[in-house]
Amino acid sequence: MVSYKLLTPEDVYFTAPVPVPAEETDEQKHSSSRLCCKNKSCSTSTAFIALATFLFVVCCVWLIGTIFWLKNPGSQLPHRPPSPSPAAENREGGSGQSPEKCNAIPETHRFDCFPERQPIVTRELCEVRGCCFIQASAVPSPGKDGVPWCFYPPDFASYTLDSLNDTELGYIGKLTRKQKTYYPRDIENLQLSVMYETDSRLHIKMTDATSARFEVPISVPNATKKAASPGYSVEFSKEPFGLIVKRTSTGTVLINTTVAPLFFADQFLQMSTTLPSQYIYGLGEHRAGFLHSVQWNTLTFWARDVPPTELTNLYGVHPFYLGVEPGGLAHGVFLLNSNAMDVVLQPTPALTWRTIGGILDIYIFIGPDPSSVVQQYTEVVGLPSMPPFWALGFHLCRWGYQTSNATWQVVKGMRNYGIPQDAQWNDIDYMDGFRDFTTEPEKFDTLPEMVKDLHDHGQRYVMILDPGISSTQPPGSYWPYDEGLKRGIFINDSDGNTLIGKVWPGLTAFPDFSNPETHQWWYENLQKFYEKVPFDGLWIDMNEPSNFEDGSLKGCPSNELENPPYTPGILGNVLRAKTVCASAVQKTSVHYNIHSLYGLMEAMASASALRRMGKRPFIISRSTFPSQGRYSGHWLGDNRSQWKDLYVSIPGMLNFNLLGIPLVGADICGFGGSTTEELCVRWMQLGAFYPFSRNHNTNNEQAQDPTDPMFSPLARTAMKEVLLLRYSLFPLLYTLFHHAHLQGHTVARPLLFEFPEDVMTYSIDRQFLWGRSLLVTPVLEPRVNSVIGYFPKGLWYDYYTGTSLKSSGEKVKLEAPLGKINLYLREGAVIPTQTPNTTLWSSTGNPLHLIVTLSEKGLAEGDLFWDDGESLDTYETNSYAYIVFNVSENTFTSTVLHENIEATYIMVETVSFFGVKDQPTNVTVDSKETPFTYLKNKVLTVSNLSLNLSKGFTIHWS
């Protein structure tokens, strides 16, 4: 592809002729020379003119026929490609492109000029758009698009940068388009804003210079001054317009939009960029490995109710990616846009954003390491909320308990077996006729008593709510619908009437959560229900929003919102598939613009309501959007009881941590289908290390709670032991969530984040870390008693024994009988653990046991955050304790950095040091000699300490 001549911001001023940059690379000089004919007339022979005239006449005849065909493509098509604009056929060179120019473009660098999925592109359709057509010989991989047959030539018309002026934050520019594209309603004048917001964050916006367009209504930082020492530089191409963003320290090109033309029509926006490597992550929610493929891979974004399926748009929309550069540095890019979109990855490597509304609102994060990128991203979309302590315990649910007494029996069975459980849930069968804020009067008549019993045992209750509100009952008999209709809080159709769809209760209306009045109505409904059933958290489901009808009961109008010129590759091929009409009217905008925000807006209303009720919010939502972590967690949807689903839960969990939603997990043992004993044991072992840990399955399938008679005593014991292990690690997990809330850190973390210099970690998604130090290597296959784990370079310790493993960066075979999940601790850490009990409430008063993993140099560090676990905003109101631990020169130090009464209730009972090279002769605690044990595997343990956590102390050995 052509590399356009680049201009720095200082070069682009138009009060005088634009100067040539002082130096150009050989590639730039060569590219410029190839474009010289673009700006001056070139002589041609008479024969060539005659031939061109003849071809032009033939093309015109063909064009008339093609236009006629395009206007009548058949009713079965969800939409048709737009007719060519008059300018397209008059573009320089005619409707076709010279074979030499087209053949010169390598296959990997071909950017798709005909992204529509129907009809199949032909040479005639392609060349009408002024693009190159070369039929690729290679057959694409299953589910992949393959090399595009129709692609942009290097001189395809784009925008021109007409002016660029200084602002307090950076630059403001004017872009103009002089030739129309093949999509309707090109926006001819764009405003470009380049804002150097922080040293590590660049913000670029492109929007209509003359008319306001829809912008995503989430809160983002408002920078007031230009970054003093940015870690990036920006260069501009004047004509055709393009941006190049480089990392200052290395010169690595992070963004280069000059590789393909910019589109900005009313309902089609497209921008392409090269990538510095093929290592790209994020771009959720999709069922795939953690590392995305760049082999002609299209990811579609439009919230959709569909069980997790490959190559399909799923419940959430997160147009953010993290890219790893050669050498291990990392950056991130976020397109703040909520319209339906495709993101195309190709092996250049390159990425194309293609959306059908809104604006191009782009944030670029400079890192330089992967963890820093996520922190910078969450600074923009919002830091995750701090969950209540009990949210990090084990949760149990089933659709199909049928009665509250049956639900209660499961809880009692868990207690009888001594199996940890913090929360019991109910699915939709607790409702009367599947109607929100009701209970089935006969089968669930003892629900209030069950909830009281849970509370008496330090446990919690969570129930499901769907957004669809039943509309068929007699007036005056169902307050949520009657009052909602009275207040006008439901989504309307394009005629201004309440839109009626169909969900579990039958015909339903959908609350408009973009309307502040709906938040008040939602709060009042929750408050009324709480008076009957004092629930503790909320499970919001079906909030894409899901609709069993396509659009509404009476259909949707035939207009440009329902049938845009381009429809991304969404399941169902139309925007209204299994949701409400795109033309439906909401308070903030038409549904076309805010469809994928529905789950976020419902979570915002729910979190606000719980806070008003005095509760630290616990909410789990199916549909998500950037900033969701501020309000809720997420579960990975309706998975199945299959080994593959066990595996893909790990990349799903890692992806949502990267996206700023650390409270995430999958349905343990699978939701759909019936599990087996082996699968469920292995899944309980992995699920014990999901940040959000819940066993949940569907109706009319084999029960899978640990007490079910299908499980042998050996299996039940394995499940119990791994849950007790999770509960013992609660102090570590709670502290990790504090750092997520305070700084945007991940909780479940890919190895890549801690070892970005090790290329072997880039594709690992069968192992993961808690924080920086606890390595989890689960079994993900049937009928095995060992597992292969990768250990990055360094010293690692077996969690259970303290035995060391020194790795140069290698794979190791680990024994893994059915009752064991392999855990290893990284050198240099202090891990706080606690004697576990069957609830976190009864565990939190138990003694602490600290595990110290010494580095080769004898160093280690760690910390502990502690509060009452459920009050609002404890960090913000200074109602917490914070303790740091350090080890150097054979001395362990515990220092209280922030005091709180909660710490006075906790005692430190044991400290174990892994990796003490020589057997000590003397150990002192606060200068007093104390007994100790030392094992052959170099583990030093000091017990019976009874040290109050609220006071600092030291341990020294010699």
Side-chain angles (χ1 to χ4, degrees):
M1 291 292 288
V2 64
S3 176
Y4 299 113
K5 184 167 68 176
L6 307 179
L7 304 173
T8 63
E10 290 74 16
D11 291 328
V12 188
Y13 287 95
F14 297 91
T15 54
V18 178
V20 177
E23 295 183 3
E24 291 180 298
T25 65
D26 291 340
E27 181 183 356
Q28 289 168 333
K29 291 177 181 178
H30 176 67
S31 300
S32 299
S33 66
R34 284 192 283 130
L35 288 177
C36 66
C37 288
K38 186 174 181 182
N39 296 316
K40 63 181 180 180
S41 59
C42 301
S43 62
T44 58
S45 67
T46 303
F48 181 81
I49 294 174
L51 178 61
T53 302
F54 173 77
L55 290 174
F56 180 77
V57 172
V58 171
C59 289
C60 286
V61 173
W62 169 85
L63 178 59
I64 293 171
T66 299
I67 292 174
F68 178 81
W69 181 86
L70 284 172
K71 291 183 177 179
N72 299 276
S75 59
Q76 77 277 11
L77 301 182
H79 66 284
R80 60 174 181 263
S83 301
S85 66
E89 61 186 295
N90 294 324
R91 192 174 288 119
E92 182 180 355
S95 61
Q97 296 291 336
S98 68
E100 294 80 6
K101 182 167 53 179
C102 296
N103 286 323
I105 302 173
E107 286 190 349
T108 59
H109 288 61
R110 294 175 182 175
F111 291 83
D112 198 350
C113 178
F114 204 101
E116 291 81 12
R117 287 159 180 81
Q118 293 181 352
I120 296 175
V121 62
T122 63
R123 179 179 298 276
E124 292 77 16
L125 289 173
C126 176
E127 291 184 349
V128 166
R129 296 186 171 189
C131 290
C132 296
F133 183 88
I134 300 177
Q135 186 170 333
S137 57
V139 177
S141 303
K144 302 296 182 182
D145 293 333
V147 179
W149 296 3
C150 182
F151 53 95
Y152 299 109
D155 58 353
F156 193 93
S158 186
Y159 285 86
T160 300
L161 178 60
D162 282 346
S163 65
L164 192 69
N165 298 304
D166 291 314
T167 67
E168 291 184 357
L169 284 176
Y171 302 96
I172 189 167
K174 179 182 178 183
L175 308 180
T176 59
R177 174 176 281 283
K178 298 178 176 60
Q179 292 184 349
K180 292 186 178 297
T181 67
Y182 45 86
Y183 285 104
R185 298 185 303 282
D186 284 303
I187 297 176
E188 297 178 358
N189 298 301
L190 301 180
Q191 177 176 293
L192 167 71
S193 299
V194 179
M195 294 160 278
Y196 296 63
E197 293 191 341
T198 72
D199 289 345
S200 58
R201 184 176 77 230
L202 176 66
H203 187 189
I204 298 169
K205 290 180 73 170
M206 287 176 250
T207 189
D208 191 333
T210 58
S211 300
R213 290 179 60 81
F214 175 77
E215 298 188 28
V216 179
I218 66 172
S219 176
V220 295
N222 184 24
T224 57
K225 62 180 181 178
K226 185 177 180 179
S229 302
Y232 49 84
S233 63
V234 185
E235 299 172 352
F236 300 86
S237 169
K238 178 178 182 295
E239 185 173 16
F241 166 72
L243 282 165
I244 293 183
V245 179
K246 295 181 179 179
R247 182 181 297 280
T248 304
S249 61
T250 62
T252 302
V253 175
L254 309 180
I255 299 289
N256 180 1
T257 71
T258 68
V259 293
L262 170 68
F263 283 73
F264 205 121
D266 183 41
Q267 291 182 276
F268 186 86
L269 290 72
Q270 180 174 281
M271 186 180 72
S272 300
T273 177
T274 56
L275 301 170
S277 80
Q278 75 267 30
Y279 298 112
I280 183 169
Y281 310 85
L283 297 174
E285 179 176 12
H286 296 92
R287 179 176 159 116
F290 184 56
L291 172 64
H292 284 295
S293 168
V294 297
Q295 299 302 314
W296 306 109
N297 184 15
T298 298
L299 304 169
T300 299
F301 296 76
W302 182 251
R304 168 69 195 240
D305 172 5
V306 59
T309 306
E310 286 81 359
L311 307 171
T312 300
N313 52 303
L314 300 181
Y315 313 109
V317 167
H318 296 269
F320 164 73
Y321 71 81
L322 181 146
V324 178
E325 305 153 36
L329 298 182
H331 67 282
V333 179
F334 172 40
L335 173 60
L336 181 50
N337 184 292
S338 58
N339 290 91
M341 75 172 72
D342 283 331
V343 175
V344 182
L345 300 172
Q346 65 188 72
T348 315
L351 176 147
T352 296
W353 303 102
R354 188 182 295 141
T355 184
I356 62 172
I359 67 171
L360 295 176
D361 191 357
I362 302 162
Y363 289 87
I364 301 166
F365 309 103
I366 305 301
D369 58 272
S371 293
S372 297
V373 172
V374 174
Q375 289 179 261
Q376 291 154 17
Y377 171 66
T378 54
E379 285 174 2
V380 169
V381 300
L383 294 162
S385 62
M386 186 68 186
F389 77 98
W390 58 268
L392 305 184
F394 178 64
H395 302 243
L396 192 55
C397 182
R398 185 178 188 188
W399 178 22
Y401 286 128
Q402 302 297 335
T403 69
S404 52
N405 284 338
T407 311
W408 204 345
Q409 287 303 314
V410 172
V411 175
K412 292 176 181 177
M414 294 285 284
R415 293 175 191 160
N416 289 339
Y417 280 110
I419 301 174
Q421 182 189 4
D422 260 78
Q424 179 62 50
W425 299 37
N426 276 122
D427 210 313
I428 57 175
D429 46 348
Y430 81 90
M431 300 177 184
D432 185 10
F434 301 125
R435 291 188 293 270
D436 281 349
F437 311 113
T438 67
T439 57
E440 210 286 331
E442 297 181 1
K443 295 181 179 180
F444 280 82
D445 59 323
T446 60
L447 185 59
E449 288 78 13
M450 186 195 81
V451 174
K452 183 180 185 301
D453 179 68
L454 288 169
H455 291 166
D456 289 344
H457 286 82
Q459 295 172 301
R460 301 297 191 275
Y461 180 69
V462 180
M463 80 290 182
I464 196 169
L465 285 175
D466 294 341
I469 300 297
S470 176
S471 64
T472 57
Q473 55 284 320
S477 63
Y478 184 47
W479 192 87
Y481 179 71
D482 294 335
E483 189 66 15
L485 206 60
K486 177 182 175 182
R487 300 190 193 185
I489 57 89
F490 294 122
I491 295 176
N492 288 334
D493 61 25
S494 56
D495 295 326
N497 302 312
T498 300
L499 185 145
I500 301 298
K502 186 177 181 181
V503 200
W504 293 112
L507 301 184
T508 57
F510 297 87
D512 175 11
F513 288 105
S514 76
N515 184 350
E517 182 60 29
T518 307
H519 291 219
Q520 176 64 25
W521 167 87
W522 190 248
Y523 163 69
E524 292 175 20
N525 276 288
L526 288 169
Q527 194 175 42
K528 288 175 179 290
F529 187 75
Y530 184 82
E531 293 172 358
K532 302 174 184 177
V533 180
F535 59 87
D536 300 283
L538 295 176
W539 173 19
I540 51 177
D541 190 18
M542 307 289 285
N543 54 353
E544 290 72 33
S546 178
N547 183 2
F548 297 165
E549 300 285 337
D550 285 350
S552 77
L553 198 63
K554 65 178 185 179
C556 303
S558 179
N559 58 28
E560 292 171 337
L561 292 178
E562 301 294 341
N563 304 291
Y566 174 79
T567 300
I570 61 178
L571 181 63
N573 299 320
V574 289
L575 299 178
R576 61 184 174 274
K578 299 306 178 218
T579 189
V580 303
C581 299
S583 57
V585 179
Q586 298 186 235
K587 180 75 171 180
T588 296
S589 183
V590 289
H591 194 73
Y592 179 92
N593 289 325
I594 61 175
H595 165 82
S596 294
L597 292 167
Y598 194 89
L600 169 63
M601 291 178 171
E602 185 187 14
M604 293 171 68
S606 301
S608 173
L610 291 182
R611 290 181 70 89
R612 290 174 67 180
M613 295 165 69
K615 292 181 175 289
R616 187 186 295 186
F618 171 73
I619 301 163
I620 295 296
S621 175
R622 189 167 75 178
S623 187
T624 59
F625 192 81
S627 80
Q628 191 91 23
R630 296 176 61 184
Y631 310 101
S632 83
H634 172 64
W635 98 102
L636 296 173
D638 295 341
N639 60 0
R640 297 188 61 79
S641 298
Q642 297 176 354
W643 288 92
K644 182 174 183 179
D645 291 67
L646 173 65
Y647 152 64
V648 296
S649 71
I650 299 178
M653 170 184 65
L654 296 178
N655 206 30
F656 272 91
N657 270 264
L658 183 153
L659 298 171
I661 307 175
L663 187 62
V664 61
D667 282 346
I668 295 172
C669 301
F671 173 73
S674 290
T675 189
T676 64
E677 177 171 284
E678 182 187 15
L679 174 61
C680 201
V681 169
R682 293 304 193 188
W683 212 324
M684 286 288 288
Q685 289 172 341
L686 171 58
F689 292 90
Y690 293 154
F692 165 59
S693 182
R694 181 186 70 165
N695 180 314
H696 176 224
N697 74 322
T698 190
N699 201 8
N700 300 320
E701 295 287 353
Q702 172 65 51
Q704 61 192 35
D705 63 84
T707 67
D708 192 82
M710 78 165 285
F711 296 120
S712 67
L714 176 64
R716 189 174 297 112
T717 298
M719 295 179 184
K720 175 181 176 179
E721 288 181 350
V722 78
L723 289 177
L724 287 169
L725 179 58
R726 176 189 177 90
Y727 277 46
S728 71
L729 286 163
F730 168 75
L732 168 65
L733 184 59
Y734 196 64
T735 300
L736 291 175
F737 268 97
H738 165 68
H739 289 300
H741 172 60
L742 187 62
Q743 299 162 311
H745 289 176
T746 52
V747 173
R749 188 171 303 173
L751 274 70
L752 158 68
F753 275 43
E754 290 298 322
F755 303 93
E757 74 288 345
D758 184 352
V759 178
M760 288 293 293
T761 66
Y762 289 12
S763 59
I764 290 178
D765 57 10
R766 302 175 75 88
Q767 297 172 272
F768 59 94
L769 295 158
W770 264 14
R772 65 178 304 272
S773 302
L774 179 63
L775 176 61
V776 183
T777 307
V779 171
L780 304 174
E781 297 172 348
R783 299 179 297 279
V784 299
N785 57 15
S786 64
V787 62
I788 303 297
Y790 180 76
F791 289 82
K793 183 178 180 179
L795 196 58
W796 298 85
Y797 296 94
D798 186 316
Y799 176 84
Y800 304 102
T801 66
T803 300
S804 64
L805 185 160
K806 188 172 184 179
S807 175
S808 60
E810 56 201 85
K811 293 181 179 179
V812 178
K813 183 178 180 180
L814 305 170
E815 295 301 313
L818 185 63
K820 179 181 180 181
I821 183 171
N822 276 278
L823 303 178
Y824 275 77
L825 295 172
R826 184 182 177 188
E827 63 178 305
V830 179
I831 304 296
T833 70
Q834 194 165 35
T835 303
N837 210 323
T838 54
T839 67
L840 288 176
W841 177 251
S842 58
S843 298
T844 50
N846 288 344
L848 290 181
H849 307 274
L850 306 180
I851 301 175
V852 181
T853 60
L854 297 175
S855 70
E856 289 280 9
K857 296 181 179 180
L859 305 176
E861 61 182 11
D863 61 350
L864 175 66
F865 175 85
W866 206 254
D867 62 8
D868 68 9
E870 51 191 352
S871 296
L872 292 169
D873 305 322
T874 55
Y875 177 79
E876 290 76 8
T877 59
N878 292 316
S879 304
Y880 68 95
Y882 184 65
I883 298 96
V884 296
F885 310 112
N886 285 280
V887 182
S888 65
E889 298 180 349
N890 295 355
T891 301
F892 173 97
T893 305
S894 175
T895 306
V896 180
L897 294 188
H898 197 281
E899 297 180 1
N900 183 259
I901 192 173
E902 294 296 328
T904 64
Y905 306 137
I906 309 299
M907 307 298 287
V908 177
E909 189 68 18
T910 304
V911 181
S912 295
F913 299 88
F914 294 178
V916 177
K917 296 179 180 179
D918 300 309
Q919 181 169 353
T921 58
N922 178 266
V923 175
T924 61
V925 178
D926 289 337
S927 301
K928 295 179 181 179
E929 190 170 339
T930 189
F932 65 92
T933 61
Y934 183 80
L935 303 178
K936 291 181 179 180
N937 61 348
K938 303 185 185 306
V939 174
L940 167 66
T941 301
V942 187
S943 305
N944 302 316
L945 294 172
S946 298
L947 297 168
N948 196 285
L949 186 65
S950 64
K951 298 179 181 178
F953 62 88
T954 61
I955 300 175
H956 178 77
W957 69 92
S958 58

